[in-house]
Amino acid sequence: MPTVPPTLLERVQYLLCDADGNLFPSEEPAFEASAEVTNSFLASVGIDRRYTADELRAAATGMNFRTTALTLAAEAGVTDVDIEPWVAEERRAVTAHLGATLRPHEPTRAALTALAARLELAVVSSSALSRLAACFTATGLDELLPPARRYSAEDSLPTPTSKPDPAVYRHACADLGIAPEQGLAVEDAVAGVRSAVGAGCPVVGNLLFVLPEERAARREALLAAGALTVVESWQELADLVLPVLAGRPAAGEALSGAAR
């Protein structure tokens, strides 16, 4: 059974949730749509390399399209590119595909509802806010994770960035009025763990939507990146966290006097 020191959990006020591949199984369908745009972008700048959806997912999980495309171009020796039209096109294609393919995952929604009774929930993601909105609506999570508590490395910062840069976690904690150690991050990707750790947030890895054949390697990678422990579902996280917080006031009451 995964463990986290109770003294650490007692300080936590917010659960800071990565979105893609963590709250919903969006990684595979997102890369199906993204690979088409990525390959068109590479062709437009004279790069012959083409990626399947699986190859792109292996290279880019945890990063947004802007960072991925610029990295792939730079690796091929191309640095002077206008990426913004491609960012917009990739966002449109992926958002439409995810909105049409994702469905609610009832065990996740039930566990998050239980966690929300003791912790405030927020989203900290590399993805654009429009993409997040489509995903939360499709998966029935809008009420638990409303727009006011969604933070995007693409849209919420003065300069867009991507995990593993810790900027989006630092911004989220500052906006929520908490110290980093008061936000427990939940991440499925190494880039996300490094982002949270870099900001000073404790992190739990989550393998729920990681492909079964990739779980053993991902578990080791998440721990090596700084995750305190790794769970295989949101219910397992609830079973880990809720007993420690059982005697605490409900989430809204606990934070009623805090900066929000």
Side-chain angles (χ1 to χ4, degrees):
M1 174 71 182
T3 59
V4 174
T7 53
L8 184 153
L9 292 176
E10 288 166 0
R11 296 196 297 269
V12 171
Q13 299 291 333
Y14 268 87
L15 198 62
L16 306 177
C17 309
D18 174 54
D20 290 294
N22 189 46
L23 288 168
F24 30 74
S26 55
E27 295 287 4
E28 286 75 19
F31 281 110
E32 290 171 5
S34 186
E36 293 187 19
V37 180
T38 299
N39 288 332
S40 294
F41 161 72
L42 293 174
S44 76
V45 295
I47 297 172
D48 293 334
R49 176 74 160 90
R50 299 293 179 266
Y51 287 82
T52 67
D54 284 342
E55 288 171 338
L56 191 62
R57 181 173 61 84
T61 293
M63 298 189 295
N64 61 19
F65 172 79
R66 182 193 307 277
T67 300
T68 300
L70 290 175
T71 298
L72 295 177
E75 288 174 350
V78 178
T79 56
D80 185 17
V81 296
D82 181 8
I83 196 64
E84 296 309 316
W86 294 101
V87 170
E89 173 57 19
E90 197 265 357
R91 184 181 303 178
R92 182 205 62 76
V94 172
T95 297
H97 189 56
L98 291 176
T101 58
L102 291 179
R103 297 291 182 269
H105 185 257
E106 291 304 330
T108 291
R109 189 157 58 179
L112 288 170
T113 299
L115 286 161
R118 295 295 174 190
L119 292 169
E120 296 286 345
L121 307 185
V123 177
V124 183
S125 173
S126 285
S127 294
L129 292 173
S130 58
R131 169 172 165 168
L132 295 177
C135 291
F136 287 127
T137 298
T139 55
L141 296 177
D142 277 320
E143 186 174 342
L144 282 167
L145 295 156
R149 296 203 301 268
R150 298 174 190 171
Y151 299 94
S152 161
E154 177 70 20
D155 294 325
S156 302
L157 303 173
T159 301
T161 183
S162 182
K163 299 172 184 176
D165 190 318
V168 68
Y169 270 105
R170 289 173 178 157
H171 171 73
C173 290
D175 192 68
L176 294 168
I178 60 172
E181 61 267 23
Q182 292 176 298
L184 178 64
V186 186
E187 286 278 357
D188 68 295
V190 169
V193 172
R194 290 177 177 164
S195 175
V197 169
C201 298
V203 193
V204 171
N206 182 17
L207 301 177
L208 174 59
F209 296 120
V210 176
L211 295 176
E213 62 271 22
E214 297 178 6
R215 287 189 174 189
R218 183 73 63 86
R219 179 188 297 273
E220 294 306 314
L222 295 175
L223 292 170
L228 296 169
T229 192
V230 177
V231 298
E232 296 198 358
S233 69
W234 286 95
Q235 185 58 55
E236 192 171 3
L237 180 70
D239 292 342
L240 174 67
V241 171
L242 292 179
V244 179
L245 306 181
R248 210 160 79 175
E253 298 172 15
L255 296 179
S256 60
R260 301 292 298 278

